[in-house]
Amino acid sequence: MKFYIKTYGCQMNERDSEAAAAMLLDDGHLQVHSEEEADLILFNTCSVREQAELKAIGKLSILKKQSSGKFFGIMGCMAQSRGEELLKKIPHLNFALGTDKIHELPEIVRQLRKGSKTADLEHDNIQDAAGLDSHLVPVNGFKAYVSIMRGCDRFCTYCIVPYVRGRERSRSPEAVLEEIRALAKAGVKEVMLLGQNVAAYGTKGLKMDPDVSPFADLLEETAKIEGIERIRFTSPHPAFFNKRLIECIANTPKVCKYVHLPLQSGSDRILKAMNRPYTAEEYMNIVRSLKEKCNGNIAFSTDIIVGFPGETEEDFEMTRKIMEEVEYDLAYIFKYSPRKGTKASQMEDDVPKEVKEERNQILLKELEKSSQKENLRAVGKTLELLAEGPSRRNAARWCGRTDQNKLAVFENTTGVKVGDKVMVHIDRATSMTLFGTIVTD
Ligand code: SAH
Ligand code: SF4
Ligand code: F3S
């Protein structure tokens, strides 16, 4: 069967889609890259904001009209929360597979032609299952996502993830490292370790201690693997970001000096209402400490929610101030969206839409200022890139990323290949991109 997977949501969903595709390929199916060519159209869905759900549902309804005789399935987070309902509502939907059931996909697909509708949405909190560690490398190039934990136990009051992804569980370091060793053998040079709360990796049952971080241990073990040049990770919760982890990031050269550290809000009052157990000051202490230990050679990105219930102008101003102080390279700014079943959905969504929009715009401007400033700092420096390939518009121009995840464009004058290390002198910069020339010696 020819299958097409459309992925919504975060990197964890992207990783699950990749594993799903690898399992189907293994079962003799063929992956295609458009809906028109496919016999089976699969949506890996996200529930994190209403907009994310509407997108997938809209697409599913439109497709029906154009595609008689095709099979349709949903998996992932919205399948988990609304699978039963959607199977009833959307007549052409054939199956819904929960977040703990991805490994059952090949069997479900084998049964498809029998015609019955199927849902398997049970939460059994799988940690590892056959096929979940499958990858599509080296087709995907030199980078790979590696899931190190599933689920989330933090229950931030706005967030649906703990309900749709189940309990927080870490894979064993042995399983993770074995997967990374195999990836390195297949040509992977850069890994992104994934989880909703990676800084808490392996901490279940441990007492909080500033000198103990199983996640830092995992980073160091990963760094020992031959062939792996860069290690990234997302997302670490600030409450688990301790001294041991800060020192590990600063002292392990292969760990990229780029940290995605979700702030959510700069107001202690709002953080408390969000059930984010840190203060703005504690957050800033992590940032300051990392900046100091890395001699300023570190970049940050973040997630922020504007318009959480009860957010006043003063609360918002505190968030803006933190943005100004950290000088983020990148920030994902979200307008609060009530999610059914969460604690915050019982609070009044009292910040008007226009105010959310206005606050969003103010923070976007703040971001533009800081990312431009950060990029201008790179001008005149010679930086190491891992080459990603030719740019879409001009094949002679190549792109690469720095350790700090900045995108740089350069003329490929020396026959650089995908995944090669290349030293580039940065000549100029915009808020989005660096432009440079290869330095040969
Ligand atoms: N585990 C990650 C976040 C995963 S969800 C962490 O804690 O860092 C990605 C982001 O979506 C969150 O950081 C938050 O900023 C945003 N988000 C989650 N629920 C939301 C909601 N109900 N409305 C608006 N944004 C939300
Ligand atoms: Fe959601 Fe909070 Fe878990 Fe992140 S840590 S996934 S925001 S509940
Ligand atoms: Fe969305 Fe699920 Fe990720 S809700 S953000 S795809 S964990």
Side-chain angles (χ1 to χ4, degrees):
M1 194 173 290
K2 291 183 193 157
F3 70 91
Y4 171 72
I5 306 184
K6 169 93 184 135
T7 310
Y8 299 87
C10 64
Q11 289 102 330
M12 280 133 263
N13 255 18
E14 283 176 33
R15 172 70 197 105
D16 284 347
S17 287
E18 194 204 346
M23 283 185 261
L24 288 179
L25 286 171
D26 212 36
D27 222 31
H29 303 286
L30 189 69
Q31 186 170 21
V32 293
H33 298 283
S34 75
E35 295 134 12
E36 293 78 32
E37 295 167 80
D39 307 310
L40 165 64
I41 300 175
L42 194 53
F43 291 88
N44 193 2
T45 54
C46 172
S47 270
V48 81
R49 285 168 294 277
E50 191 183 10
Q51 208 48 36
E53 293 196 344
L54 292 178
K55 251 199 212 160
I57 295 176
K59 186 83 187 168
L60 200 56
S61 316
I62 295 170
L63 277 178
K64 153 75 181 148
K65 297 194 188 89
Q66 312 156 349
S67 2
S68 64
K70 291 187 195 289
F71 295 106
F72 292 91
I74 53 171
M75 56 189 258
C77 301
M78 185 179 59
Q80 187 68 53
S81 60
R82 299 180 57 183
E84 299 273 4
E85 167 206 335
L86 291 171
L87 271 181
K88 277 190 204 129
K89 252 202 211 150
I90 304 179
H92 59 285
L93 189 59
N94 300 91
F95 66 89
L97 214 49
T99 51
D100 281 334
K101 296 294 173 183
I102 299 158
H103 55 291
E104 290 181 359
L105 184 61
E107 183 54 31
I108 298 255
V109 172
R110 261 175 247 143
Q111 304 291 331
L112 264 181
R113 297 207 193 272
K114 291 193 180 153
S116 59
K117 287 200 175 216
T118 357
D120 195 349
L121 305 170
E122 196 194 332
H123 257 317
D124 44 13
N125 291 324
I126 48 152
Q127 197 167 30
D128 272 307
L132 275 187
D133 58 354
S134 319
H135 286 265
L136 294 176
V137 288
V139 189
N140 255 8
F142 65 95
K143 295 197 220 178
Y145 286 140
V146 175
S147 158
I148 64 165
M149 62 202 298
R150 300 182 74 85
C152 183
D153 280 355
R154 301 277 52 85
F155 289 94
C156 303
T157 54
Y158 50 80
C159 187
I160 199 168
V161 171
Y163 304 92
V164 291
R165 287 247 159 194
R167 297 290 50 78
E168 195 168 290
R169 58 226 112 106
S170 300
R171 296 176 63 202
S172 74
E174 293 76 25
V176 173
L177 294 167
E178 196 182 303
E179 186 174 326
I180 300 175
R181 274 186 215 109
L183 287 167
K185 275 206 186 114
V188 167
K189 295 183 176 170
E190 179 174 318
V191 284
M192 166 83 99
L193 307 185
L194 295 178
Q196 292 295 359
N197 185 12
V198 286
Y201 172 82
T203 56
K204 222 165 222 173
L206 291 184
K207 268 217 313 257
M208 293 284 279
D209 180 326
D211 295 316
V212 176
S213 166
F215 180 56
D217 301 343
L218 184 70
L219 288 174
E220 286 169 359
E221 288 305 311
T222 304
K224 289 182 193 156
I225 297 175
E226 207 182 316
I228 296 297
E229 312 256 9
R230 283 183 178 174
I231 307 163
R232 302 187 188 278
F233 55 86
T234 201
S235 283
H237 190 300
F240 291 83
F241 222 103
N242 62 4
K243 180 165 150 268
R244 164 85 175 99
L245 180 56
I246 291 174
E247 282 168 2
C248 162
I249 293 169
N251 300 331
T252 315
K254 286 183 182 179
V255 175
C256 291
K257 303 299 173 273
Y258 177 88
V259 175
H260 180 70
L261 195 60
L263 169 69
Q264 312 301 357
S265 169
S267 151
D268 292 347
R269 198 178 65 83
I270 296 292
L271 284 170
K272 198 158 185 229
M274 287 175 161
N275 191 27
R276 298 282 292 187
Y278 52 88
T279 62
E281 185 58 20
E282 283 163 346
Y283 180 95
M284 282 313 301
N285 285 341
I286 301 171
V287 172
R288 287 182 198 124
S289 178
L290 276 166
K291 281 189 176 177
E292 187 197 305
K293 292 212 158 53
C294 299
N295 299 319
N297 269 326
I298 185 160
F300 292 92
S301 62
T302 198
D303 289 348
I304 288 173
I305 297 177
V306 291
F308 185 80
E311 186 187 68
T312 62
E313 277 302 324
E314 292 75 54
D315 294 316
F316 171 68
E317 179 55 21
M318 291 180 203
T319 305
R320 197 200 57 74
K321 275 229 170 83
I322 293 219
M323 276 198 80
E324 200 172 51
E325 187 174 347
V326 178
E327 297 190 319
Y328 293 105
D329 254 42
L330 189 63
Y332 300 93
I333 301 156
F334 305 108
K335 286 173 265 183
Y336 170 69
S337 158
R339 307 280 59 215
K340 212 169 143 194
T342 61
K343 250 194 165 157
S345 69
Q346 292 159 19
M347 306 172 191
E348 192 192 342
D349 183 15
D350 58 355
V351 179
K353 226 170 142 190
E354 312 76 64
V355 177
K356 283 181 186 163
E357 184 53 43
E358 192 191 346
R359 291 179 185 171
N360 190 19
Q361 289 304 326
I362 294 173
L363 295 191
L364 285 174
K365 287 224 178 72
E366 199 64 59
L367 173 65
E368 198 183 317
K369 250 195 322 196
S370 61
S371 55
Q372 175 125 26
K373 206 161 154 191
E374 280 293 301
N375 274 2
L376 286 177
R377 265 189 208 137
V379 174
K381 290 187 184 158
T382 296
L383 300 177
E384 183 189 280
L385 308 182
L386 285 189
E388 306 227 326
S391 86
R392 252 177 263 157
R393 278 185 239 137
N394 178 351
R397 278 190 143 185
W398 272 49
C399 308
R401 280 192 189 267
T402 68
D403 167 278
Q404 295 185 4
N405 211 30
K406 293 188 209 296
L407 189 71
V409 173
F410 59 93
E411 297 288 329
N412 189 353
T413 47
T414 58
V416 168
K417 293 188 290 305
V418 173
D420 280 356
K421 263 190 200 165
V422 48
M423 298 306 289
V424 168
H425 179 269
I426 307 301
D427 306 318
R428 63 190 175 89
T430 64
S431 64
M432 301 291 287
T433 317
L434 308 177
F435 297 85
T437 324
I438 296 186
V439 177
T440 39
D441 42 55

